[in-house]
Amino acid sequence: MVFAEKLKLLRKQENMSQEQLAAKLGVSRQAVTKWETGAGIPDIENILSISKLFDISMDELFSNERKMNLPKDYLFESVTEYDIDESKHYDMKFGFAKKLVLSGYKGEKIRVCLASNTISTLQSDFKVKIDDIKKRMDVDINQKNGVTRAAAKEEVNIFVQVPVTYIRNMECAVHAERVEIYSLECDNIELDLKTSEVVLEDILGTVEINCNLDMNIFCNSLNGAIEINQISAVSKIHIPEDVMFAAVTKGIATKISYEKNGKQADVFAVTNADNIIELNGIKSELIISVDR
């Protein structure tokens, strides 16, 4: 399954859909699905095409460890790594960024990469602090040398990889235009966010989102619970059409409504489902949307 997981992560880091990858390789979407689920493996010609497309060697494609893959249009980067050897509770405060991409992977290190097209002095202008405290791992990013929060929010992208084997629970705080979370499995992930767009994919467990801004949440798979805590906000969560879930409202004057293909729809939540979408807070509304 190493190749399957690697291919999926590479595609996601490039913000590429399965359809787009299939078109670039000249294969069917079903072929890409088989490769990413481990039901099949590409022939040598397609492996070479994948290697060239993502600028990664064949050895790296089939190994557990590899250098973090960044979108190719970033001119500058600064990478910090730290070895992990036991299960940890992660408490991560990333400050301000244009985009945060947080993903789990099969490895032994936590990797924090800052990337920018305009700030060449990332290593000196941003302090990445990693504190290993017994069963807890604290990760903080702070600006230095007069770099403003506004500059960080406009020019800096943060890519973080965490070893899935060593995750107990996770807290993450960031102020970013877009937040993407991929391939994590743990009891609870608490996200303290100021963002308008969240992507969740291949998450197993409970995801708690605390954010008082209006959000678009793209949930490409649902395996557990999503708890959204908001005050005076209207957000929309997009879910796959075939997902079975229960919907719960708590708090004061909270409301959940439903939408299919951009039009208001009757309730399509069910009772006693394993998956749960929950809205908490005060005077907030959540639209649960299915788009074909």
Side-chain angles (χ1 to χ4, degrees), residues 6 65 98 115 143 156 166 181 188 242 254 257 279-280 282-283:
K6 189 71 63 66
E65 291 280 353
K98 184 174 182 63
Q143 301 99 247
V156 178
Y166 301 126
I181 314 290
N188 185 266
D242 58 349
T254 56
S257 58
L279 176 64
N280 298 296
I282 302 173
K283 294 182 179 179

Coordinates of all heavy atoms in Angstrom, one line a residue, residues 6 65 98 115 143 156 166 181 188 242 254 257 279-280 282-283:
K6 N 1.2 7.0 -1.3 CA 2.1 8.0 -1.9 C 1.5 8.7 -3.0 O 1.5 10.0 -3.1 CB 3.5 7.4 -2.3 CG 4.6 8.4 -2.6 CD 5.1 9.1 -1.4 CE 5.7 8.2 -0.4 NZ 6.9 7.5 -0.8
E65 N 9.8 6.7 3.1 CA 10.3 8.0 3.4 C 10.6 8.7 2.1 O 11.0 8.1 1.1 CB 11.6 7.9 4.2 CG 11.5 7.4 5.6 CD 11.0 8.5 6.5 OE1 10.9 9.6 6.1 OE2 10.7 8.1 7.7
K98 N -1.2 32.0 4.3 CA -2.1 32.0 3.2 C -2.8 30.7 3.2 O -4.1 30.6 3.0 CB -1.4 32.3 1.9 CG -2.3 32.4 0.7 CD -1.6 32.8 -0.6 CE -2.6 32.9 -1.7 NZ -3.6 34.0 -1.5
A115 N 6.7 27.8 2.6 CA 6.9 28.0 1.2 C 6.4 29.3 0.8 O 5.3 29.7 1.2 CB 6.3 26.8 0.4
Q143 N 6.7 35.0 13.6 CA 7.4 35.8 12.7 C 8.5 36.5 13.5 O 8.4 36.8 14.7 CB 6.5 36.9 12.2 CG 5.3 36.4 11.3 CD 4.0 36.4 12.2 OE1 3.5 35.3 12.5 NE2 3.6 37.5 12.5
V156 N 2.9 33.4 2.7 CA 3.5 32.2 3.3 C 2.5 31.0 3.3 O 1.3 31.2 3.7 CB 4.0 32.4 4.7 CG1 4.6 31.1 5.3 CG2 5.1 33.5 4.7
Y166 N 2.2 7.8 15.2 CA 2.5 8.4 16.5 C 1.6 9.5 16.8 O 2.0 10.5 17.4 CB 4.0 8.9 16.5 CG 5.0 7.8 16.2 CD1 6.0 7.9 15.2 CD2 5.0 6.6 17.0 CE1 6.9 6.9 15.0 CE2 5.9 5.6 16.8 CZ 6.9 5.8 15.8 OH 7.8 4.8 15.5
I181 N -6.8 19.4 5.4 CA -6.4 18.3 6.3 C -6.6 17.0 5.6 O -7.7 16.7 5.2 CB -7.2 18.3 7.7 CG1 -7.3 19.7 8.2 CG2 -6.6 17.4 8.7 CD1 -6.1 20.3 8.8
N188 N -9.4 12.4 18.4 CA -10.0 13.8 18.3 C -9.0 14.7 17.6 O -7.8 14.7 18.0 CB -10.4 14.3 19.7 CG -11.0 15.6 19.7 OD1 -10.4 16.6 19.8 ND2 -12.3 15.6 19.5
D242 N -23.3 9.5 -1.1 CA -23.7 8.2 -0.6 C -23.4 8.1 0.9 O -23.5 7.0 1.5 CB -22.9 7.1 -1.3 CG -21.4 7.3 -1.3 OD1 -21.0 8.4 -0.8 OD2 -20.7 6.4 -1.7
T254 N -29.6 27.6 16.9 CA -28.8 27.0 15.8 C -29.7 26.2 14.9 O -30.7 25.7 15.3 CB -27.7 26.0 16.4 OG1 -28.4 25.0 17.2 CG2 -26.7 26.8 17.2
S257 N -29.9 23.1 7.7 CA -30.8 23.0 6.6 C -30.0 22.1 5.5 O -28.8 21.8 5.7 CB -31.2 24.3 6.0 OG -30.0 25.1 5.6
L279 N -23.8 20.8 14.9 CA -23.6 22.2 14.9 C -23.9 22.7 16.4 O -24.9 22.4 17.0 CB -24.6 22.9 14.0 CG -24.6 24.5 14.0 CD1 -23.2 25.0 13.6 CD2 -25.7 25.0 13.2
N280 N -22.9 23.4 16.9 CA -23.0 23.9 18.3 C -22.8 25.5 18.2 O -22.2 26.0 17.2 CB -21.9 23.4 19.2 CG -22.0 21.9 19.4 OD1 -23.0 21.4 19.9 ND2 -21.0 21.2 18.9
I282 N -24.2 29.7 19.0 CA -25.3 30.6 19.2 C -25.6 31.3 17.8 O -24.7 31.8 17.1 CB -24.8 31.7 20.2 CG1 -24.5 31.1 21.6 CG2 -26.0 32.7 20.4 CD1 -23.9 32.0 22.6
K283 N -26.9 31.3 17.5 CA -27.4 32.0 16.3 C -26.6 31.7 15.1 O -26.1 32.6 14.3 CB -27.4 33.5 16.5 CG -28.4 33.9 17.6 CD -28.4 35.4 17.8 CE -29.4 35.9 18.9 NZ -29.4 37.3 19.0

